[in-house]
Amino acid sequence: MTSDLVIDVRNVTKRFGGLVAVNNCSLAVRRGSVTGLIGPNGAGKSSLFNIVAGNIVPDDGQVIFDGTDVTGMKPHQLFGIGMLRTFQIAHEFSQMTALENLMMVPGDQPGEHLIDTWFRPRLVRSRETEVRKKALDVIDFLKLGHVRNELAGNLSGGQKKLLELGRTMMVDAKVVLLDEVAAGVNKTLLNDLAANIERMNRELGYTFFVIEHDMDLIGRLCDPVIVMAQGEKIAEGPMADIRANPAIVEAYFGTPVEAA
């Protein structure tokens, strides 16, 4: 039976010298959700996010992904089993077009192997046609057709974030980790980005785990929202409940926050 939990963090602890960044923390991301992770600077949320993404190995505890213990697995290994991450600073291939950037994503394409290019050219062409069609479908979904042949390095910050989102659509992602998706994006493109995340969740069934400082974006996209402080999970629920909790508002937002 398939578990409702796609990510299950169990009693994870991470120390950096004498600093306990994550302290016996447990949390979960449910399949089909857009789950937010927030907290003040130093709360441990970035460390926990990096542990889930495979960039940091925890000292104690487990990360279970889709029923499998993936604790300590590297990002490329997690990519291979369906956990994808976008970054605060987009990592595009700047001298390739937007379309070519998307076509680079699927792994183990026949054209990557010299023997196949020599002796199986029909297979190479067939797979390339298939990948190109999918990339064009993704570009159409994200409404990036007007920049599909533009060098990715020339795109705006928001367009680069959309392109990163498109990369996650080129493979069968079980969960997408969104790292500060609002950073460096103007309000117009941020609205487009948020709308596409909502569409991917609603129409295509994508699960998202979001770390973000923009509370308005978190409030729009995420349910539930998980709050961390001092390395521990301290609250979880709809953003309206988080905003309405006086203890959380005072301790972790500094000033009262208007209810959404």
Side-chain angles (χ1 to χ4, degrees):
M1 181 177 179
T2 302
S3 170
D4 186 40
L5 304 183
V6 68
I7 295 174
D8 187 8
V9 175
R10 300 178 181 175
N11 306 110
V12 163
T13 294
K14 182 61 186 180
R15 305 174 188 88
F16 296 99
L19 172 67
V20 181
V22 182
N23 185 21
N24 195 35
C25 185
S26 297
L27 56 82
V29 175
R30 296 195 175 277
R31 198 178 307 277
S33 72
V34 182
T35 297
L37 181 63
I38 64 173
N41 291 333
K45 60 187 184 298
S46 293
S47 294
L48 181 71
F49 203 75
N50 280 316
I51 287 169
V52 172
N55 298 103
I56 297 175
V57 178
D59 297 314
D60 297 295
Q62 295 175 294
V63 178
I64 309 299
F65 173 55
D66 203 28
T68 299
D69 188 341
V70 298
T71 311
M73 285 180 64
K74 301 298 184 185
H76 71 275
Q77 295 172 308
L78 294 171
F79 176 93
I81 58 175
M83 184 190 294
L84 280 68
R85 178 181 184 172
T86 70
F87 290 88
Q88 181 176 351
I89 300 174
H91 291 162
E92 77 283 354
F93 296 103
S94 61
Q95 295 304 306
M96 301 177 71
T97 68
L99 179 63
E100 289 167 341
N101 265 260
L102 295 183
M103 292 181 66
M104 286 286 292
V105 176
D108 201 28
Q109 297 184 46
E112 298 172 5
H113 306 287
L114 190 58
I115 290 178
D116 284 336
T117 62
W118 285 348
F119 298 109
R120 307 173 74 187
R122 185 175 299 177
L123 175 65
V124 172
R125 287 195 299 270
S126 174
R127 177 59 174 152
E128 184 173 324
T129 299
E130 179 184 321
V131 171
R132 180 182 174 84
K133 181 181 183 306
K134 178 151 189 157
L136 288 170
D137 287 344
V138 169
I139 280 176
D140 183 57
F141 184 92
L142 297 175
K143 299 183 173 137
L144 284 174
H146 59 296
V147 296
R148 76 179 192 185
N149 295 319
E150 183 67 60
L151 292 180
N154 295 338
L155 302 182
S156 70
Q159 289 168 337
K160 289 178 180 179
K161 291 291 181 72
L162 280 169
L163 188 62
E164 284 231 330
L165 198 61
R167 288 180 184 175
T168 72
M169 299 176 66
M170 290 299 296
V171 293
D172 295 323
K174 295 176 183 175
V175 65
V176 178
L177 309 181
L178 296 179
D179 184 356
E180 298 287 356
V181 71
V185 181
N186 67 49
K187 287 191 176 295
T188 299
L189 277 175
L190 184 57
N191 184 63
D192 291 344
L193 193 58
N196 278 298
I197 292 168
E198 290 169 332
R199 288 179 63 210
M200 288 172 67
N201 174 250
R202 182 179 63 249
E203 298 175 19
L204 305 177
Y206 276 72
T207 301
F208 291 95
F209 188 30
V210 185
I211 184 171
E212 180 57 62
H213 282 98
D214 187 319
M215 293 298 101
D216 290 334
L217 184 63
I218 285 284
R220 171 176 173 173
L221 292 177
C222 300
D223 187 7
V225 176
I226 297 169
V227 185
M228 284 186 69
Q230 298 181 335
E232 301 176 0
K233 170 184 162 182
I234 62 166
E236 178 176 352
M239 191 58 172
D241 292 351
I242 298 298
R243 289 179 185 269
N245 186 319
I248 293 174
V249 170
E250 182 178 358
Y252 307 111
F253 296 101
T255 56
V257 180
E258 296 290 334

